[in-house]
Amino acid sequence: MNSFNHYALGAVCGFLYRRVAGIDPIEPGFAKFRVAPVLDSRIARFGARVDSVRGRIETQWSYRDERAQLELTVPPNSSAEVRIGKELRSIGPGKHQLSF
């Protein structure tokens, strides 16, 4: 029996949420969070969701031919700082579709 209580398992999940899906808290309780996925042509699309204390945060992005499409859900009483490449946008609550 192998233990599932190991740092490596959490580190992999943390990498997927913060770097690939791009969801990273800036303030406690996800009052403000960053969405800055690391886009790579080897990954055509990716998405994740986090059920925070304020509600569900969801990202779904696709990347093809140097163009990115992002679907983002920001829960009530939260805001998101979205960074794709050099472009930075501040986004309020709701469902959003963004192109970069």
Side-chain angles (χ1 to χ4, degrees):
M1 176 70 187
N2 290 328
S3 171
F4 291 111
N5 187 17
H6 191 273
Y7 168 77
L9 297 173
V12 170
C13 288
F15 173 80
L16 291 173
Y17 276 97
R18 285 190 168 98
R19 303 293 286 163
V20 183
I23 303 169
D24 193 15
I26 296 174
E27 294 178 5
F30 288 92
K32 186 173 185 181
F33 59 95
R34 179 178 300 113
V35 176
V38 177
L39 302 177
D40 188 310
S41 61
R42 295 173 291 183
I43 302 173
R45 59 185 300 154
F46 195 85
R49 63 179 168 252
V50 174
D51 288 323
S52 77
V53 106
R54 297 174 185 276
R56 179 166 283 179
I57 298 167
E58 192 166 4
T59 63
Q60 183 79 3
W61 60 260
S62 62
Y63 183 66
R64 193 171 82 192
D65 300 328
E66 304 291 322
R67 299 288 303 154
Q69 301 287 326
L70 173 66
E71 292 179 28
L72 171 64
T73 302
V74 179
N77 300 316
S78 293
S79 64
E81 177 184 284
V82 179
R83 180 179 296 276
I84 303 289
K86 294 181 181 180
E87 193 169 339
L88 177 66
R89 296 183 192 177
S90 292
I91 306 292
K95 294 186 180 203
H96 307 277
Q97 291 188 355
L98 308 165
S99 297
F100 296 90

